Amino acid sequence: MSEVKNVVIVGSGPAGYTAAIYAARAQLSPVLYEGSVTAGGALMNTTEVENFPGFTDGVMGPDLMDSMRKQAERFGTTLITDDILEMDLKSSVKVLKDGSGNVVKSKSVILAMGSAYKEIGLKNEKRLSGRGVSWCATCDGFFFRDQEIAVVGGGDSAIEEATFLTRFASKVVLIHRRDSLRASKIMAERAFANPKIEFLWNHEVIDVLGEEKVSSLALRNTTTGVESKRDFTGLFVAIGHLPRNELVLDQVSVDSEGYVKVKDNTTHTNVTGVFACGDLVDHRYRQAITAAGSGCQAALDAERFLSHE
């Protein structure tokens, strides 16, 4: 990796893989760092994706990511299953260091690190992680067969988690701090029609209780302030995401929520030769198709940048 690359893409998922497809077809010979654990992004933890264009009967999230990965590889992308640990983006030649100690230099960088699950921030949430507390229904739902479990959240992600968990649990209680859902109408209607989903409105979880594993949740009514306790053996947290900006927080501009800022309707950051796409930028739409679209934009922006270099 001693030679200077045209473009290095950091992160996979719909944004990263699409950026790689377009950059590779433009003969830029992109290098994509897809992550040692997080390769494929959040869709690797998703079941059926029904709204990605071109799949009449839907497609499983991991299958969609595998197809995108193979397509990027087919056109000549160098895929590296490792993490970037350090970046120096300030010079005209960007310098990146991976988890194996390798250094790669590039004329441009596309940031596609995505986002991470947001935690509630409770005292025992971390302690009981993997022992009843989870952020991934498809990963852990099987372990809660015939049990009563809770899901916290009110958006599409929470509804999807709750619906999936009804395959295993005897009852899924969706806890939401408001009296209505933020989820799309079609997702909400499915949940309301599911006899195994119960809605606990105007409540928030204030602690997770249990010694070796989750045994119950401490709750507070957001309207009256009254506190209570209810037995559950599992808690699935689906309250949103945080952008994975740790590597670039001190190098590119971010907004008040930590999402990387881009200029106007482009993927240009405030640093010349650095582009950002996907959930690292988008806190409004957050869909696989919009992430893929912004990955396309990032590759096109990088191509034009390199052609005028």
Side-chain angles (χ1 to χ4, degrees), residues 54-216:
F55 296 91
T56 307
D57 299 317
V59 58
M60 298 299 284
D63 292 339
L64 179 60
M65 290 303 92
D66 185 55
S67 293
M68 285 190 178
R69 185 183 192 275
K70 288 176 178 175
Q71 191 173 2
E73 191 171 33
R74 173 195 166 200
F75 289 119
T77 302
T78 299
L79 297 163
I80 300 177
T81 307
D82 202 345
D83 300 300
I84 291 294
L85 301 184
E86 297 176 26
M87 289 191 214
D88 183 355
L89 305 175
K90 296 172 184 176
S91 302
S92 58
V93 174
K94 321 303 179 186
V95 181
L96 302 86
K97 185 176 181 180
D98 67 24
S100 301
N102 300 310
V103 173
V104 58
K105 297 179 180 180
S106 182
K107 298 174 185 177
S108 66
V109 171
I110 294 175
L111 306 174
M113 289 93 76
S115 58
Y117 298 112
K118 187 183 291 185
E119 299 177 5
I120 302 174
L122 304 175
K123 178 182 176 183
N124 292 311
E125 187 177 3
K126 277 284 192 185
R127 182 178 67 83
L128 292 171
S129 173
R131 291 183 286 176
V133 177
S134 175
W135 291 264
C136 178
T138 53
C139 306
D140 302 323
F142 176 81
F143 302 108
F144 295 87
R145 190 175 294 278
D146 299 322
Q147 299 177 42
E148 187 167 324
I149 56 181
V151 173
V152 175
D156 279 351
S157 294
I159 297 300
E160 183 179 7
E161 297 276 281
T163 302
F164 177 80
L165 289 167
T166 59
R167 301 182 187 186
F168 309 101
S170 57
K171 178 184 283 188
V172 177
V173 178
L174 194 141
I175 303 170
H176 189 39
R177 57 184 297 113
R178 299 179 179 84
D179 61 0
S180 61
L181 297 172
R182 292 179 288 106
S184 60
K185 186 177 180 180
I186 189 170
M187 295 288 284
E189 287 177 348
R190 285 181 189 173
F192 291 141
N194 193 318
K196 294 179 77 174
I197 297 178
E198 174 188 332
F199 292 86
L200 185 58
W201 304 110
N202 297 316
H203 276 77
E204 61 183 349
V205 179
I206 57 175
D207 203 359
V208 188
L209 308 175
E211 291 302 320
E212 297 302 317
K213 58 183 181 179
V214 173
S215 60
S216 60

Side-chain angles (χ1 to χ4, degrees), residues 21-32:
I21 291 167
Y22 273 78
R25 291 189 76 250
Q27 305 297 308
L28 296 179
S29 302
V31 175
L32 185 147

Side-chain angles (χ1 to χ4, degrees), residues 39-54:
L43 280 186
M44 296 300 289
N45 297 322
T46 302
T47 51
E48 192 170 26
V49 179
E50 294 183 316
N51 53 9
F52 200 92

